[in-house]
Amino acid sequence: MWEEIKQKIEIAFNFSLNKNQWRDIKRLIYEIAKRENLDYDTIIEELKDNHHINKAGGRNKFFVIKQQLINKRFPLTTKREKIDTKKVFLSDIKPPLPNLYQAKEFNPTHIFVEKDASDSYLLKRFQEKFAEVKIEELSFASEYIKKHKFSLEDLKKPIVFIVKERWDFIKPCPCTKNHLSCNYWILNLGFGCPFDCSYCFLQQYTNFPGIILPSNLNDFYDMFKDLLKKINSPIRIGTGEFCDSLALDEITNYSSQLINFLRDKPVLFELKTKSTKIDNLLKNEPSPNIIVSWSINPQEIIDKEELMTSSLEDRLTSAKIVQEKGYSLSFHFDPIIYSENWEKIYKETIETLFKKLTPPFRWISLGTLRGSRELKNIVEQRFPHSKIFYGELFLGEDKKLRYPKFLRKEIYQKMISWIRRYDTRTPVYLCMEDEEIWQVMDKKLTSSKDIESYIINNYDK
Ligand code: SF4
C-alpha cells in the first residue's frame, strides 16, 4: 500500500523521493491520518492543491511538501510560531506487535526466586496467595535473561522475580537534563507494575518481563540509616518511580513495614498509586510524615491510556477513606494530556477532586506528557490505538518529546487557576520543567528547590 502512495506522490509532482525523504513524508502522512481520521488519498489530494510544490524545482519539491505536511500535522503550533523542523521527530513506522500482550488481572503464572531470598517472608506471601503457581529457584534473577531472550511482547507477562536487592535501594531522583532538579529521593521497591499505562517510561528501560520485587527490606533500613547520617537534613522520599507503590501491597505488605520504620525518621515518605489497595494503610496508625498520593487523570484518559488501574471515582473514594483515617494526601496530575477538549475534562476532574476531598493537601504536582523517542516507538507497537504521541510534541533540550513551551505554559496556568478556585493553600509544583516554565507559578515558590524546602519545613505544622 505504501509503495502505491509513494508512486502517487512521485507521479503527481514529477520527482523521486529518496529513502530518507520518503521516511519523513510517510511518517507525516501516517500521523495526520491517525490524528484526523483521514484517508491517505485525501491528504495527497490536498497536497495537489498546493501550486508551490510544482513551481519548486528538483529536490525543493520535497521541502515544500514536507513543510505543508508539518503545518497540517502541528496545526496549533503552526498558528503560534515557526516550527524548527529539526525538533520534529520522524522515524520509520513501527507496526503493532503480532503477539501483543497487555496487562490483565494480576495472576502470576511463574514465580522465580533468588537463592538468597528463598526463605523470605515475601516468597511465603506469594505461596499463600498463589498456591498453584510453579516456583523456580535461581542464583540471580539475571540468569533468567541469559536463558530467555527478552522481547517487547513479554513485557507485561505475569511473571514475578523475588530478589535480594544488593545495590540500588535508594538514590536521588534522576530528574531530566537541562531541567530544574527536585531533591526528591527514590526508594526502589522493585521494578515493574501490574498496571499498563501507555505513556509509562518503564517500558523503555526494562529487559525483563514481569515484576521484580525485593525481599530484604532489612538491608534497606541499614542503608537508609547510613544515608541519613551523611545528608544530615530532612528529605522527601517516595517509592512510586519504578512501580506503583500500592498495587501489590496486599501481597508484599511493604507499606506497613515502611510506615512503621519511617514514622519517626526525619523524612517525608510518599506512597504513590493509581490503585485502591489501602487495607494496610488502614491497619496502621498514620503519622504526619507519611503521605499517600494518587495520580489522577480524567476518566476518559484513564479508560484509554491507563489499563487495569482503578477508576477516578474509586481512587478518590480511597483517598477520602485514607484522609479520614488521618493520613495526609497529595495528588499528581501527571501526565496531563492535551486534546481538543482538554480544558473541559481537566476542569471537571479538578472540580470532582475538590467536591470529594477536603484541602489543603501536602502538595499537588503538575506535569505534561513527555517521553523519549524510544518510548514513542514502543507505544506505537504496544498501544496501536493510542494517539497521545501523535499530539503536538517536539524534541526538547533533553531530547524528550514535549508540547511546545507556549502550550505547556497555557496548560499549567489554567490548571493552577482552576485549582486555586477551591484551594489557595496547597503548594503546587511542576515536574521536570525549566526555569522559564516555572515563571507561570503563583505565590513566591517559583522553583523546585523553593517548593521542596517549603514542603519539608511545613510538614509537621
Ligand atoms: S501505574 Fe505508573 S508504574 Fe504502573 S504502568 Fe502506570 S505509569 Fe507505569
Side-chain angles (χ1 to χ4, degrees):
M1 173 199 60
W2 281 110
E3 198 43 46
E4 216 176 286
I5 293 167
K6 181 170 178 260
Q7 278 176 13
K8 279 185 187 168
I9 294 171
E10 290 179 333
I11 291 165
F13 301 111
N14 191 26
F15 83 121
S16 313
L17 289 155
N18 69 31
K19 195 169 159 239
N20 289 342
Q21 289 172 337
W22 174 232
R23 181 203 56 213
D24 291 0
I25 299 299
K26 181 175 163 185
R27 165 58 76 176
L28 285 163
I29 291 175
Y30 177 76
E31 292 193 1
I32 292 166
K34 279 250 175 197
R35 277 170 60 88
E36 299 185 20
N37 293 326
L38 287 175
D39 60 50
Y40 301 138
D41 281 334
T42 307
I43 300 167
I44 296 171
E45 287 308 310
E46 277 185 28
L47 282 175
K48 286 184 190 167
D49 289 341
N50 182 347
H51 303 297
H52 297 291
I53 299 174
N54 270 327
K55 274 190 204 153
R59 68 195 283 265
N60 286 340
K61 286 184 182 181
F62 161 72
F63 293 114
V64 184
I65 293 173
K66 184 172 171 180
Q67 191 61 55
Q68 177 168 337
L69 291 173
I70 284 177
N71 293 350
K72 191 165 175 63
R73 165 67 180 80
F74 300 97
L76 209 59
T77 312
T78 299
K79 273 192 213 141
R80 291 289 297 255
E81 58 193 35
K82 187 167 167 26
I83 294 175
D84 178 355
T85 52
K86 286 195 215 80
K87 293 188 176 170
V88 177
F89 173 54
L90 301 170
S91 63
D92 287 326
I93 297 165
K94 302 276 184 258
L97 292 172
N99 299 311
L100 176 61
Y101 187 91
Q102 291 176 323
K104 301 186 174 74
E105 194 66 38
F106 181 71
N107 240 326
T109 53
H110 289 86
I111 297 173
F112 294 91
V113 59
E114 285 189 348
K115 219 177 202 157
D116 286 348
S118 60
D119 62 354
S120 62
Y121 86 96
L122 192 54
L123 179 60
K124 290 189 187 86
R125 299 277 300 169
F126 271 94
Q127 284 170 319
E128 281 161 25
K129 293 256 176 198
F130 307 100
E132 307 296 312
V133 180
K134 196 175 161 220
I135 296 170
E136 207 175 304
E137 198 173 282
L138 302 166
S139 297
F140 296 101
S142 53
E143 267 177 32
Y144 177 90
I145 282 300
K146 283 183 197 149
K147 287 189 204 151
H148 306 81
K149 197 170 173 299
F150 175 72
S151 129
L152 202 50
E153 288 167 343
D154 298 332
L155 191 68
K156 289 283 173 175
K157 295 243 164 105
I159 302 174
V160 172
F161 296 85
I162 299 174
V163 303
K164 179 176 175 182
E165 177 61 53
R166 289 166 178 87
W167 313 109
D168 261 356
F169 256 126
I170 181 160
K171 55 186 175 190
C173 174
C175 290
T176 191
K177 272 186 214 157
N178 300 320
H179 289 73
L180 297 180
S181 60
C182 61
N183 295 326
Y184 191 88
W185 289 72
I186 292 162
L187 165 54
N188 176 11
L189 275 192
F191 195 98
C193 179
F195 301 148
D196 210 351
C197 303
S198 59
Y199 52 76
C200 179
F201 79 103
L202 295 183
Q203 298 176 91
Q204 83 197 66
Y205 288 117
T206 187
N207 59 355
F208 263 76
I211 299 171
I212 302 172
L213 295 167
S215 60
N216 52 323
L217 285 197
N218 286 343
D219 291 329
F220 159 70
Y221 301 153
D222 293 339
M223 285 178 205
F224 185 78
K225 285 175 193 161
D226 289 346
L227 174 81
L228 274 190
K229 277 182 217 153
K230 276 185 222 150
I231 59 174
N232 202 19
S233 63
I235 57 169
R236 199 153 65 104
I237 178 169
T239 63
E241 190 68 12
F242 303 121
C243 53
D244 181 284
S245 300
L246 297 177
L248 297 179
D249 201 52
E250 61 192 6
I251 309 167
T252 64
N253 212 12
Y254 286 151
S255 71
S256 291
Q257 300 176 67
L258 289 164
I259 288 171
N260 289 315
F261 171 71
L262 292 168
R263 65 168 66 250
D264 60 351
K265 307 288 182 297
V267 295
L268 280 185
F269 175 56
E270 179 184 16
L271 292 154
K272 183 158 77 175
T273 191
K274 290 180 182 132
S275 81
T276 53
K277 302 290 173 68
I278 55 171
D279 287 359
N280 283 333
L281 303 180
L282 302 180
K283 284 182 206 151
N284 287 285
E285 271 318 297
S287 164
N289 68 330
I290 309 293
I291 289 100
V292 191
S293 72
W294 271 267
S295 296
I296 51 177
N297 246 325
Q299 186 59 42
E300 69 173 68
I301 290 182
I302 294 174
D303 290 341
K304 284 188 206 149
E305 311 295 340
E306 299 180 351
L307 308 189
M308 301 310 297
T309 63
S310 301
S311 69
L312 174 65
E313 195 184 332
D314 288 350
R315 290 180 210 182
L316 296 182
T317 301
S318 297
K320 189 169 176 58
I321 296 169
V322 162
Q323 189 181 44
E324 282 168 359
K325 171 80 181 171
Y327 285 95
S328 293
L329 301 180
S330 63
F331 292 94
H332 300 273
F333 285 91
D334 196 354
I336 300 166
I337 296 172
Y338 178 86
S339 62
E340 270 181 12
N341 67 342
W342 84 271
E343 293 197 28
K344 179 178 178 289
I345 60 177
Y346 279 94
K347 216 195 270 181
E348 282 169 3
T349 306
I350 289 171
E351 192 184 325
T352 309
L353 165 67
F354 286 102
K355 272 193 181 156
K356 188 128 188 171
L357 288 145
T358 315
F361 310 120
R362 293 319 259 284
W363 58 80
I364 293 176
S365 82
L366 307 176
T368 50
L369 177 68
R370 56 207 173 273
S372 66
R373 292 166 286 191
E374 297 75 26
L375 181 62
K376 178 175 175 176
N377 287 336
I378 291 172
V379 176
E380 200 159 84
Q381 294 171 82
R382 292 202 65 243
F383 296 90
H385 300 296
S386 174
K387 292 185 181 174
I388 59 174
F389 277 95
Y390 306 135
E392 302 215 9
L393 298 157
F394 298 91
L395 290 169
E397 284 160 14
D398 58 353
K399 300 285 172 240
K400 279 194 181 141
L401 291 158
R402 293 166 178 274
Y403 298 129
K405 284 192 173 178
F406 77 85
L407 186 55
R408 273 146 58 206
K409 280 185 198 167
E410 183 188 322
I411 290 173
Y412 293 135
Q413 268 161 345
K414 288 188 171 160
M415 289 291 289
I416 292 167
S417 75
W418 298 330
I419 290 167
R420 290 296 178 231
R421 282 182 196 169
Y422 303 95
D423 172 14
T424 53
R425 292 165 66 198
T426 299
V428 177
Y429 69 87
L430 306 180
C431 202
M432 292 192 188
E433 285 295 358
D434 64 19
E435 231 163 304
E436 184 187 333
I437 303 284
W438 269 85
Q439 298 310 312
V440 303
M441 299 307 291
D442 61 353
K443 301 200 169 174
K444 289 188 183 115
L445 307 171
T446 53
S447 75
S448 51
K449 286 214 168 74
D450 289 347
I451 293 278
E452 199 67 27
S453 56
Y454 178 86
I455 289 170
I456 285 172
N457 294 330
N458 287 280
Y459 83 78
D460 58 352
K461 307 222 164 68

